[in-house]
Structures are given as structure tokens and as C-alpha cells.
């Protein structure tokens, strides 16, 4: 898709397949920038898209395709040229292919293991060993070269970039075991000359490929879910708008709305685009933008926003921002940018492999040279066997298990306790957290107003004030009215009959009850009707400082009572803040609410760091500002408006009662509303990451210890050479250590 950027530059967006890490992003960007006429190129790993800024005279799509292909990746086409996202389609094909190969690998690996250990299975003991070896060779070959083809391709890509990674280690380990075992199968006399009984490792080669392929499948499925948040946001956009042209109402597709169009919105409809009200008034649910549960009263000249919900009243407004300019479109862009800017964490295994693999190759070559050129009576077969022994003992089987087993046990334990952790990357970040930022409404608080105080004038009972209020509010759908009616229901009060009911938008309502003219509404309404306040203004000011909303009740021109409502903190909020502080965390609160209300909630919960009056886009900016100060930030939220901040944060934690968008944009999802799951999730992440580090140590310990022995350093002193059988034993022990250590997580107390 090409769009004009300036008079002299154009923008083309393409989809790229095969990228798995930040290194891939850099490689693709460098390749695209080298295309003739390209001024700049940026790649988003999450969406698998590359945006290229270029002039009118440039290399074209063919140039981009060649550059991407030559770099070792897939050119999936120009984004927008087809209805389906090519990157998404490629991702589905990749997952399907991985499932098929994993299934074949698992079945064949089990059969190969049984054949390798035929003495353990009575019905296989009668098969001649040499015949069994030929069968194992035939069964292992497709596992190594077909099931594991992606590892060799990845190793080749890394080699072209003059580096090594996990793919290199897997390819070397699997090929070493396979080639050595093949030689032992077809040239046993070669081993006999060296005085050794040939031993095969076909099962090791097959297991390496299959187990690590399982990890790749889990990673691919996790990557496929990251774009769901953006899709759900896009799904919020209304499809049509009712515009007024030439005094006629016409429904048109939303894409055809232009700036300046006059649009009519009826009760219950979504507002199609951003604009300013021309006539009429209403209360609008803007919770998808602000997260605040109380609808906002709108009148002439008030701003309205796309995809917010008109609760009551019809109005017309003039479109001021359309398409990509709307607040919703900006939130979508923020989510997309934040997901792309949070570069995947480089795996510890990859970092170690970049050093470990060249060292292993160097030691192996040196071993061969020493045993062939510098020992008395050199034997080629002995030198070759020692060379291969070094490669075999460096086999990455345990390293392939190190992260997946810990992640699987840790995430499984979390799931049992209502904590969903998306994967290893989330865990790798969580243990470094220094600051936890909470959204207020719906996260720290219940998200719905409830009655907290009922004050009355002298000689008036609370139940009388409440009965008057519920009688007037019984027919209203406003959340404050519903909260008052719910309080009356709890007190077992029934609303009385009213006459001449009249609702006044932005003020309140009036009606005749038991022959008396009664009013219910805000201070502005009382002042407008010249009601005698009898000292209630001071009470209202005090309650407002506590973050409460005040509703006055008046009869016959005099206030008889005041009802205060507030969005109360959840029961677990205060304890959660205390636990996080005990863990050494800084705790902050962020909200679109005003400073006074936010401060009242913060004081009640013991939170001193308050960010109030923060709009959706600014929430992500606030998180980014904390990060620039050196903080590693977790964001806890539940609404669509929290999605950009959740993705910008180092760790996004969504509470399960929130929206699907927030859950998709987060790294950790809490299935319960109990906020004590937040510190529990962080503790679980700490523990799981600690186990991963321990696993990586044990994965290399046996192998690294065995490498010099396999090279023959003990031979001059003790006459000891490492038999390949013991090399296999070391491999097995490292795998057992890793799995056992991971299983220890099951005993971790998550509470």
C-alpha cells in the first residue's frame, strides 16, 4: 500500500515472513535501506510489517522482494493489496506446518527411543542389532532433515550474517549425533580399529529436534495472538453514519464521512467519528476512552468521540476529525507502536550460543589436530572420534529444555491460581520490576458508584430522603440514579408515585411527590432553582474533597438531604499496595479522573504517587516517562483506554473483569478481580526466572565439564578418554537436572 508522505516521498508497507527476533528486524531494515531510492525503512516485529519511505524513482516492489529474499526472509506482498493480512495467513500456515512436523517428530522419536533401548523391551530383543541400527537410521533421517529443517535454515541465515545462535547449536548437536551414529552403523570396523564398541545416538538426535520444535510451536502461537488487540480495537469502529445533507438524513459508510459533515446520533447508538455538538444534549458513555464509569453530560459545543456510546437524548454534531485522525484511531496506533517498540528480549541461550558454539568448534578442531599430528602413533579414527565426542557432549538437548520446561511449569501453576502468563519474555522482564502503576477505575476501584453517605436536615429521617430520591430516580438509567435505587432496594424501600416528572440534562430531575414539588440534582441545579441550602454547601465541599459526588434532594424550595456517592476501592486494594511495598516496589496510580478525586482514593489506599487528569494517549506517555527515569514498569489496568499503556509498559497486567482488548494487549492476565494476584504474579515470575537461570547453568555444566575430558586433557595423566557412552550419560544427566529443577516450581507457594 503506497501513500503520499510529502511531495517528493512515498510510503509503501509490505508484509515480511520468517522474522523471530530483534536481530531479524535489524537485518530486514538494513536490507530494505539498501534498495535504490529508499530513504528509510522501519520494521514492526509484532505486525510483521515493514514501512518503506522512498522517492518516486526507486527500486519498486521487485527491489523490496529481492532484498527481503536475499536476507533470508519471506516477502509476503504489499499490505492492503488483498483482503486478508498476508502476515496473518503466513502465521497460520506456519503453525499448521509446525503441528504436523511436531506430530511426526513425536511419534518417530518414541519409536527410535524404543529401538535404541531394545534390551528394555522383550519383544524387540530378538531383532538383530545391526538390523535394528539400519531401521533406526531410516527412521531418524526424516526427523533430522525434514522435521528439523527450520533449524538448518536458521543456522544458515546466521552464518550469512557471520554469527551463531540457538539454531546453530541445535543444528550442530543434532547433526553430530546423527552423523556419528550413521558412521557407527555403516562403518563399524572403523571403530574396531580404535578399540571401541560402536554406540549410536539416533534417539538423541531425534529428541533434540522434537523437543525444541515444541518450544517453537508455543512461541509461534503466542506471536499469533499479539495482533488480536488491534483487531478488537478496529472492531469498535461504527460501520455507518447518519448524515444530514440538504435537510435529508442519509446513512453512509463511515469511510465516506468528511470533515464538516453534520451527523445525527440517536439514543443507544455509537458516535461514528469525532466532532462538536451543534444541537441537543445527552449523556455519553466514554468508558472505552477514559475508563471512567459515569457517563459524561454533553451539551452544545461539547466534544464527542468516535465509538463512544450515546446513552440518552438525540443530538447533531459536526465532524471535526475523521479516519486516522480520530481518538480511537490514535489509540489503535499507540497500541501498534507500543507493541512494535517493545523489542523481544534476546534469549540467554542465544547470547551464550554466540560464544559457546565457536568455542566448541575451535576445541573440536584443536582436539582432532592434536590427536592426529602430535601424539605418538596417531590413528585417524581415534582423532575423529575425539573430535566428534567434543561435539556430542556440547549437544544442546538440556538447553532446549531449560526455558520451555520452567515456563510450562510456571505458567501452569499460575493458570491454576487464575494468573495467565503469556510466555518466557514476560517472565524475563518481570523479575526486574521496580514500579507498579495501577489504573484507578475498575482496577483499584469497583468501577461502579455506590452510596456512601446520606446527610439530612434537622428533623428529617434518612429513609425519607432516600425514599424521595428513589421515587424520582426510579425511571432513570443514569449510573448515579441506579446506585441510589440499589441503595433503596438494600434498605427495602419502595419508590412512591410521582407526577409531572421532568429530567433536565446536566442538572438533575424534578417531580411532584405527595403533593410537594421535589428536586434532585447537583449544586448548579439547586442554585438555578434558588433552593435554600441550610449549610449543606460545606458538607458537599468536604465530601468532594474525599472524591465523592454529591446529589442534593430538596422539597418545597429547601434542601432536605444530601446523598454522596463514590466509586469505592476494592476490598483487596489496600492489602495489595502494602504487599507490593514490602516487596520493595514503588506504587503509583494513573487515572483520567480529576486531581481531587484521585488524591482521595490514593490517600485511602496509601498511594502518594498520583497521575490525574491523564488522557488515553498520555497514559502511555506517563509510562514511557517513568521508563526514561530508569524504572522497570508494570501497568495494571482493565479498560480499552489502558491498552496503549499496557503495551508500552515492560509488563502489562490486565485484570480479568476488564475488556478483551486489555487482556490481549497485556503480558499477564488475572482471571480474578482479587488484586492480591498482582504481587502473586510478580513473585511467580521472580521464581520462574530464577529456575530458568539455574536450568541454563545445569544445561551447560555437565557438557562444559565434559568437553575438556572429551578432548583428552586427562589422558596424559590418567590414561582416561571420554567414551561417547559417557558423553551421552552427561547429556542425559543435564536433561534430568533441568526437568527436575523445573518441577520444583510445583511446590512454590504462590499466595
Amino acid at each position: 500500500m503506497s501513500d503520499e508522505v510529502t511531495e517528493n516521498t512515498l510510503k509503501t508497507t509490505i508484509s515480511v515472513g520468517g522474522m523471530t527476533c530483534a536481530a531479524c528486524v535489524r537485518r530486514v531494515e538494513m536490507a530494505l535501506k539498501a534498495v535504490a531510492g529508499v530513504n528509510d525503512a522501519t520494521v514492526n516485529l509484532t505486525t510483521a510489517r515493514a514501512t518503506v519511505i522512498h522517492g518516486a524513482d526507486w527500486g519498486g516492489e521487485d527491489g523490496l522482494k529481492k532484498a527481503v529474499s536475499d536476507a533470508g526472509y519471506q516477502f509476503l506482498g504489499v499490505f492492503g493489496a488483498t483482503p486478508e493480512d498476508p502476515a496473518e495467513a503466513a502465521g497460520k500456515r506456519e503453525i499448521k506446518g509446525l503441528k504436523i512436523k511436531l506430530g511426526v517428530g513425536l511419534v518417530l522419536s518414541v519409536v527410535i527411543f524404543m529401538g535404541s533401548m531394545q534390551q528394555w523391551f522383550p519383544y524387540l530383543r530378538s531383532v538383530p542389532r545391526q538390523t535394528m541400527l539400519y531401521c533406526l537410521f531410516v527412521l531418524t533421517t526424516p526427523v533430522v532433515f525434514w522435521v528439523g529443517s527450520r533449524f538448518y535454515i536458521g543456522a544458515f541465515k546466521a552464518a550469512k550474517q557471520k554469527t551463531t545462535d540457538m539454531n546453530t547449536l541445535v543444528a550442530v548437536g543434532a547433526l553430530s549425533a546423527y552423523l556419528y551414529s550413521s558412521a557407527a552403523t555403516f562403518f563399524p570396523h572403523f571403530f574396531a580399529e580404535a578399540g571401541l564398541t560402536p554406540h549410536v545416538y539416533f534417539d538423541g538426535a531425534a529428541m533434540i529436534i522434537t523437543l525444541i520444535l515444541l518450544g517453537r510451536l508455543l512461541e509461534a502461537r503466542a506471536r499469533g495472538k499479539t495482533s488480536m488487540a488491534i483487531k478488537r480495537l478496529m472492531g469498535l469502529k461504527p460501520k455507518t453514519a447518519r448524515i444530514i445533507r440538504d435537510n435529508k438524513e442519509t446513512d453512509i459508510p463511515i469511510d465516506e464521512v468528511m470533515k464538516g459533515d453534520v451527523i445525527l446520533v440517536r439514543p443507544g447508538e455509537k458516535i461514528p467519528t469525532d466532532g462538536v455538538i451543534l444541537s441537543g444534549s445527552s449523556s455519553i458513555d466514554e468508558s472505552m476512552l477514559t475508563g471512567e464509569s459515569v457517563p459524561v453530560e454533553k451539551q452544545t459545543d461539547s466534544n464527542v468521540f468516535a465509538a463512544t456510546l450515546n446513552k440518552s437524548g438525540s443530538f447533531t454534531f459536526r465532524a471535526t476529525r475523521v479516519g486516522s485522525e480520530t481518538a480511537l484511531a490514535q489509540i489503535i496506533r499507540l497500541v501498534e507502536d507500543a507493541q512494535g517498540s517493545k523489542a523481544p528480549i534476546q534469549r540467554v541461550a542465544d547470547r551464550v550460543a554466540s560464544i559457546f558454539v565457536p568455542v566448541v568448534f575451535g576445541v573440536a578442531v584443536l582436539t582432532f589436530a592434536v590427536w592426529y599430528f602430535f601424539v605418538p602413533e596417531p590413528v585417524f579414527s581415534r582423532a575423529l572420534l575425539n573430535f566428534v565426542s567434543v561435539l556430542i557432549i556440547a549437544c544442546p538437548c538440556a538447553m532446549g529444555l531449560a526455558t520451555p520446561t520452567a515456563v510450562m511449569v510456571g505458567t501452569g501453576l499460575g493458570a491454576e491460581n487464575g494468573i495467565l502468563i503469556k510466555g518466557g519474555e514476560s517472565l524475563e522482564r518481570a523479575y526486574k520490576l521496580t514500579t507498579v502503576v495501577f489504573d484507578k477505575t475498575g482496577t483499584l476501584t469497583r468501577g461502579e458508584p455506590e452510596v456512601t453517605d446520606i446527610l439530612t436536615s434537622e428533623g428529617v429521617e434518612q429513609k425519607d430522603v432516600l425514599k424521595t430520591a428513589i421515587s424520582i430516580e426510579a425511571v432513570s438509567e443514569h449510573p448515579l440514579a441506579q446506585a441510589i435505587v440499589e441503595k433503596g432496594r438494600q434498605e427495602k424501600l419502595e419508590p412512591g408515585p410521582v407526577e409531572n416528572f421532568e429530567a433536565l440534562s446536566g442538572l438533575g430531575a424534578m417531580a411532584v411527590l405527595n403533593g410537594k414539588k421535589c428536586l434532585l440534582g447537583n449544586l448548579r441545579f439547586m442554585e438555578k432553582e434558588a433552593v435554600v441550602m441550610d449549610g449543606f454547601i460545606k458538607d458537599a465541599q468536604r465530601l468532594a474533597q474525599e472524591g465523592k459526588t454529591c446529589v442534593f434532594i430538596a422539597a418545597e424550595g429547601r434542601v432536605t438531604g444530601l446523598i454522596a456517592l463514590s466509586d469505592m476501592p476494592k476490598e483487596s486494594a489496600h492489602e495489595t499496595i502494602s504487599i507490593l511495598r514490602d516487596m520493595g516496589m514503588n506504587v503509583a496510580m494513573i487515572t483520567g479522573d480529576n486531581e481531587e478525586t484521585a488524591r482521595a482514593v490514593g490517600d485511602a489506599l496509601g498511594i502518594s504517587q498520583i497521575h490525574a487528569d491523564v488522557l488515553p494517549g498520555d497514559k502511555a506517555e506517563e509510562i514511557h516517562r517513568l521508563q526514561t527515569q530508569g524504572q522497570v514498569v508494570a501497568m495494571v489496568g482493565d479498560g480499552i483506554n489502558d491498552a496503549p499503556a499496557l503495551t508500552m509498559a515492560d509488563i502489562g497486567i490486565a485484570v480479568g473483569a476488564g475488556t478483551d482488548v486489555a487482556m490481549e494487549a497485556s503480558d499477564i492476565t488475572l482471571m480474578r478481580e482479587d488484586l492480591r494476584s498482582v504481587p502473586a504474579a510478580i513473585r511467580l515470575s521472580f521464581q520462574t526466572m530464577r529456575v530458568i537461570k539455574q536450568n541454563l547453568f545445569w544445561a551447560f555444566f555437565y557438557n562444559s565439564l565434559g568437553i575438556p575430558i572429551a578432548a583428552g586433557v586427562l589422558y596424559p595423566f590418567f590414561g582416561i578418554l571420554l567414551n561417547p557412552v559417557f558423553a551421552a550419560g552427561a547429556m542425559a544427566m543435564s536433561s534430568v537436572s533441568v526437568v527436575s529443577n523445573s518441577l520444583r516450581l510445583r511446590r512454590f507457594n504462590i499466595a
Side-chain angles (χ1 to χ4, degrees), residues 6 15 49 116 142 220 245 412 467 482 523 546 613 620 639 676:
T6 68
S15 295
R49 296 176 200 158
S116 299
R245 290 177 181 170
K467 185 176 179 65
Q482 293 176 359
L523 180 59
E546 297 175 7
D613 294 308
R676 285 170 294 195

Side-chain angles (χ1 to χ4, degrees), residues 166 169 208 212 348-350 352-353 356 360 390-406 690-707 727-742:
M166 183 69 172
L169 209 52
I208 291 169
I212 298 179
V348 175
D350 277 348
V352 175
F356 185 71
V360 169
V390 171
L391 293 180
I392 287 179
I393 205 165
C395 172
C397 184
M399 191 170 69
L401 292 169
T403 299
T405 53
R690 182 184 303 171
V691 169
I692 289 174
K693 289 184 173 181
Q694 293 169 351
N695 284 351
L696 289 171
F697 169 79
W698 289 113
F700 283 106
F701 177 76
Y702 290 105
N703 311 66
S704 300
L705 184 66
I707 286 174
M731 289 166 49
M733 282 302 297
S734 63
S735 297
V736 169
S737 299
V738 164
V739 174
S740 300
N741 194 47
S742 295

